[in-house]
Amino acid sequence: MVVRTYNDELSYLEKVGTHSWRIKKGFVPNMKVEGLFYVNTHLEKLMFDELKQSCRSQGYGGFLPGMKQIGNVAALPGIVGKSIGLPDVHSGYGFAIGNMAAFDCGDRDAVVSPGGVGFDINCGVRLLRTNLCEKDVIPVKEQLAQCLFDHIPVGVGSKGIIPMTAMNLEEALEMGMDWSLREGYAWAEDKEHCEEYGRMLQADPSKVSSRAKKRGLPQLGTLGAGNHYAEIQVVEEIFNPFAAKRMGIDFKGQVCVMIHCGSRGLGHQVATDALVAMEKAMKRDKIDTNDRQLACAKINSVEGQDYLKGMASAANYAWVNRSSMTFLARQAFAKMFNTTPDDLDMQVIYDVSHNIAKFEEHYIDGKQKTLLVHRKGSTRAFPPHHPLIPVDYQLTGQPVLIGGTMGTCSYVLTGTEQGMVETFGSTCHGAGRALSRAKSRRNLDYTSVLAALEEQGISIRVASPKLVMEEAPASYKNVTDVVDTCQAAGISQKAIKLRPIAVIKG
């Protein structure tokens, strides 16, 4: 293996805008398209420091920097456009987290890769509004946080309280939010404000292994651990009053609830099962990749189709999971304020996915094509007038929910036409890690993290205090840096800024 110096690597990188860099072919072997990543000055330093560190360790010391992963994705069969890194991009399994790529369904060699979706299939964010204001909540904030914590099961081994049988699970995997609606755990309006209307129609529960179903059965309606959370937030700033009004956000200080979670153990097992099957398919079909973590299969192969059907089932599970926690959050607020969720106007503003692959129509060289768009740690951000976004948001563009790190602000963005052209209608998904989980545990003390939150006036309830170190703000990039970069690059626009006042974590 030829080991290149840092200066050698730099020769393949070119700044092409105030907030974007091009990765030229040759940066890694066999690139079929170029790479592109978005940064500001601070994020740029983080990216290049990571690359420099990998060069010093000669052979990357067991990890690939985000830039290399973007390049390796650009070498996959059937990729079109560019392999794109959003401003929150960081090293992940196969694809970098914050890396999106699209594959031409008309190309018989084009592939689907579980590493381009992630293990937590349809990890995503849901935002609920209320008609409460901050002064309504502050006097009872601690009690409300405890009530929410009591209602929503959290933690690594948490089990759901939504009654669930094996038959119910089969139906939920196939029906998604239609199951939640039928069972009384969702409102009809919830579906209207959910990506894919909360149901991927190609789902086939028979493509989900019995082991995956066994893992998923007790976990429905649970938050889990890691970076997942439920937060009580208040509107701190409104950047786009028209868009905010369409979302039912009327004033600063308005109280919202943000839920961030995914498909739990079921989605993880679906991904694991697919990777095993695809490694065999790659040998049969003679598919070579730069990284074995980029295991993939041709879209139209048996393995490719089985994965897409299983992935859609796991995505449906995630929407049912978020719907179940929405139901529980509504119950907690209603109990606390001695009223009904309807009286509190606890409507879903939107629900977005940021770990998913979907068939979409896009233009390549002026021709409309059906593409399989992989978004791993990136969010769909369709522009105004796009037929796949709700009627309520036709004039504003799709709401994009960007969760902050524990104790930091979150944002609501909207999609743009420029993003549709440059990034296949995609933008960032959150802050993106700056420190690995292991480094966070070594470098941070959980008591000081909890004390810092308390100083900010943020109530916190956690199932495992020591896991807090992994999710401390110091472990992540600055979410405002990430969001401002997306706005400056024109791929999404800021609408609302939210500040947490209570955090519920696993």
Side-chain angles (χ1 to χ4, degrees):
M1 181 178 70
V2 177
V3 178
R4 295 198 303 225
T5 67
Y6 179 60
N7 285 334
D8 291 335
E9 303 287 30
L10 290 182
S11 67
Y12 289 93
L13 303 170
E14 179 190 0
K15 194 161 190 175
V16 290
T18 53
H19 291 84
S20 56
W21 282 77
R22 179 163 68 108
I23 302 174
K24 300 174 193 173
K25 290 183 183 180
F27 185 63
V28 300
N30 307 316
M31 286 175 68
K32 293 164 179 63
V33 298
E34 293 183 334
L36 181 74
F37 62 93
Y38 295 91
V39 283
N40 67 3
T41 306
H42 181 62
L43 299 173
E44 181 180 290
K45 184 178 184 305
L46 291 174
M47 287 283 282
F48 280 89
D49 283 351
E50 186 184 53
L51 180 65
K52 189 181 292 184
Q53 182 190 340
S54 75
C55 291
R56 281 181 187 148
S57 62
Q58 297 206 4
Y60 310 119
F63 87 97
L64 282 173
M67 274 189 244
K68 287 285 181 182
Q69 291 193 300
I70 293 168
N72 285 338
V73 168
L76 289 174
I79 188 169
V80 292
K82 292 180 176 68
S83 173
I84 295 165
L86 285 313
D88 48 344
V89 69
H90 58 284
S91 184
Y93 183 94
F95 278 53
I97 298 164
N99 186 184
M100 66 75 47
F103 297 82
D104 184 358
C105 296
D107 182 340
R108 56 186 295 181
D109 293 323
V111 297
V112 57
S113 175
V117 171
F119 284 96
D120 192 1
I121 295 166
N122 192 8
C123 184
V125 184
R126 175 174 291 206
L127 185 64
L128 313 176
R129 68 175 188 247
T130 75
N131 54 19
L132 298 166
C133 61
E134 188 172 7
K135 64 179 173 55
D136 297 325
V137 170
I138 291 300
V140 294
K141 180 163 64 89
E142 289 295 335
Q143 299 96 305
L144 182 58
Q146 187 62 47
C147 192
L148 201 59
F149 188 71
D150 291 341
H151 274 70
I152 298 176
V154 303
V156 176
S158 54
K159 293 187 176 179
I161 58 173
I162 302 290
M164 206 67 189
T165 65
M167 180 60 74
N168 290 152
L169 181 62
E170 292 285 329
E171 293 171 344
L173 292 174
E174 183 179 347
M175 297 171 65
M177 279 181 66
D178 285 334
W179 182 87
S180 301
L181 192 58
R182 188 190 76 186
E183 298 297 316
Y185 298 117
W187 298 349
E189 306 96 300
D190 295 351
K191 266 189 68 179
E192 293 297 312
H193 288 175
C194 184
E195 198 169 315
E196 299 293 316
Y197 299 100
R199 179 179 185 178
M200 291 189 81
L201 297 175
Q202 69 264 44
D204 182 349
S206 72
K207 304 304 181 186
V208 177
S209 69
S210 56
R211 185 173 182 187
K213 289 171 183 172
K214 187 177 179 182
R215 291 181 70 179
L217 184 60
Q219 293 184 332
L220 198 64
T222 65
L223 196 60
N227 63 349
H228 296 161
Y229 59 77
E231 281 189 358
I232 303 168
Q233 304 175 334
V234 295
V235 175
E236 186 167 75
E237 205 164 341
I238 296 174
F239 304 103
N240 184 334
F242 176 71
K245 192 82 174 170
R246 298 300 299 165
M247 297 174 202
I249 298 299
D250 298 317
F251 55 91
K252 288 184 184 180
Q254 189 170 342
V255 173
C256 297
V257 181
M258 182 175 276
I259 298 169
H260 175 210
C261 67
S263 51
R264 305 287 276 114
L266 182 139
H268 195 285
Q269 193 64 48
V270 167
T272 302
D273 293 341
L275 287 167
V276 172
M278 286 184 183
E279 282 189 8
K280 295 175 185 173
M282 286 173 70
K283 288 176 186 172
R284 181 194 67 213
D285 295 337
K286 297 181 173 56
I287 300 172
D288 290 318
T289 61
N290 291 343
D291 179 3
R292 66 184 302 271
Q293 292 184 356
L294 286 171
C296 55
K298 293 181 180 182
I299 293 171
N300 292 319
S301 68
V302 171
E303 294 81 4
Q305 288 296 304
D306 283 354
Y307 170 68
L308 286 166
K309 291 169 184 174
M311 182 210 70
S313 302
N316 287 347
Y317 179 98
W319 280 313
V320 173
N321 196 30
R322 290 198 285 276
S323 294
S324 300
M325 282 183 278
T326 299
F327 171 79
L328 296 170
R330 284 168 172 161
Q331 295 300 307
F333 268 73
K335 180 181 179 182
M336 197 69 225
F337 291 97
N338 195 29
T339 184
T340 66
D342 199 41
D343 283 342
L344 293 171
D345 191 34
M346 294 189 73
Q347 297 281 355
V348 172
I349 290 177
Y350 207 58
D351 180 302
V352 297
S353 313
H354 53 230
N355 273 8
I356 205 158
K358 292 196 290 190
F359 293 103
E360 296 174 2
E361 299 295 315
H362 291 274
Y363 284 90
I364 300 291
D365 299 327
K367 293 180 182 174
Q368 187 173 353
K369 293 196 172 190
T370 302
L371 307 179
L372 180 58
V373 182
H374 293 60
R375 293 189 182 93
K376 180 182 181 180
S378 64
T379 312
R380 193 185 77 175
F382 283 172
H385 312 299
H386 194 286
L388 293 183
I389 60 176
V391 171
D392 288 347
Y393 304 131
Q394 280 291 307
L395 298 178
T396 64
Q398 178 204 309
V400 180
L401 310 175
I402 308 299
T405 58
M406 187 176 57
T408 66
C409 59
S410 297
Y411 288 88
V412 183
L413 315 179
T414 52
T416 65
E417 283 291 349
Q418 189 174 337
M420 200 67 185
V421 173
E422 287 190 18
T423 64
F424 299 100
S426 309
T427 194
C428 62
H429 86 300
R433 294 197 76 88
L435 291 178
S436 69
R437 295 182 189 280
K439 275 188 181 175
S440 297
R441 287 193 298 271
R442 286 197 301 271
N443 297 352
L444 301 169
D445 171 54
Y446 76 91
T447 54
S448 60
V449 174
L450 293 175
L453 290 172
E454 199 173 322
E455 273 181 36
Q456 293 175 59
I458 300 170
S459 302
I460 181 158
R461 298 292 186 278
V462 287
S464 175
K466 291 189 177 180
L467 284 180
V468 164
M469 294 179 291
E470 297 178 4
E471 302 306 318
S475 301
Y476 283 84
K477 298 174 182 178
N478 184 320
V479 70
T480 301
D481 268 345
V482 170
V483 166
D484 285 349
T485 302
C486 290
Q487 168 139 331
I491 58 174
S492 51
Q493 293 293 310
K494 291 190 292 188
I496 302 163
K497 181 180 180 182
L498 299 152
R499 168 174 53 84
I501 57 173
V503 182
I504 312 302
K505 285 190 73 69

